[in-house]
Amino acid sequence: MKIELKQYIPYLLSFIFIFVGLPLFMGDTGSAMIVALMIMPACLLSTSIIFSYTYEKIDLIYLVLLECFALISIFIFMNSSALIYAIVYLIVALIGNGIGYLLSKRKEK
């Protein structure tokens, strides 16, 4: 099984936007909660669905890359008490991967 790294480039760019661009809008605690608990998971869910639908698989490399970006973002823009968000983001991405995979299999029928 050969790993094509080119397929991850658009998703890496979206991770940069999600985990570096969106935290820049965290001005106060209220906006930080909205960004961290609503906007970021919604973006991750949609990119995960698109990835799994496009490549018709649940990919461990995708999830590892997502977690790396999430952890880096948490330690740069938040603090260690926000580590639970990394788990939330992983669960959201797994759900998105599952939905995208199921939709891709349904498309084949």
Side-chain angles (χ1 to χ4, degrees):
M1 183 172 103
K2 184 179 175 186
I3 298 173
E4 288 289 329
L5 294 179
K6 286 188 268 184
Q7 73 182 10
Y8 296 103
I9 291 174
Y11 303 99
L12 290 175
L13 294 174
S14 71
F15 292 161
I16 290 170
F17 170 74
I18 292 168
F19 291 116
V20 177
L22 289 177
L24 295 176
F25 294 104
M26 294 181 183
D28 58 353
T29 304
S31 63
M33 288 293 132
I34 290 172
V35 169
L37 293 175
M38 294 173 60
I39 297 172
M40 291 171 84
C43 292
L44 290 173
L45 183 68
S46 62
T47 57
S48 296
I49 290 171
I50 292 168
F51 178 84
S52 288
Y53 184 79
T54 303
Y55 296 106
E56 298 178 351
K57 62 180 177 177
I58 296 175
D59 195 0
L60 184 63
I61 296 172
Y62 174 85
L63 296 171
V64 168
L65 290 171
L66 179 136
E67 278 302 299
C68 290
F69 276 92
L71 291 172
I72 291 169
S73 173
I74 286 169
F75 284 113
I76 291 174
F77 296 106
M78 301 175 208
N79 57 30
S80 61
S81 66
L83 281 175
I84 191 72
Y85 296 150
I87 296 168
V88 171
Y89 298 152
L90 179 63
I91 292 169
V92 167
L94 278 170
I95 291 169
N97 272 325
I99 292 170
Y101 180 74
L102 291 174
L103 289 174
S104 69
K105 290 302 174 190
R106 188 175 181 143
K107 171 182 71 170
E108 291 175 2
K109 290 183 180 180

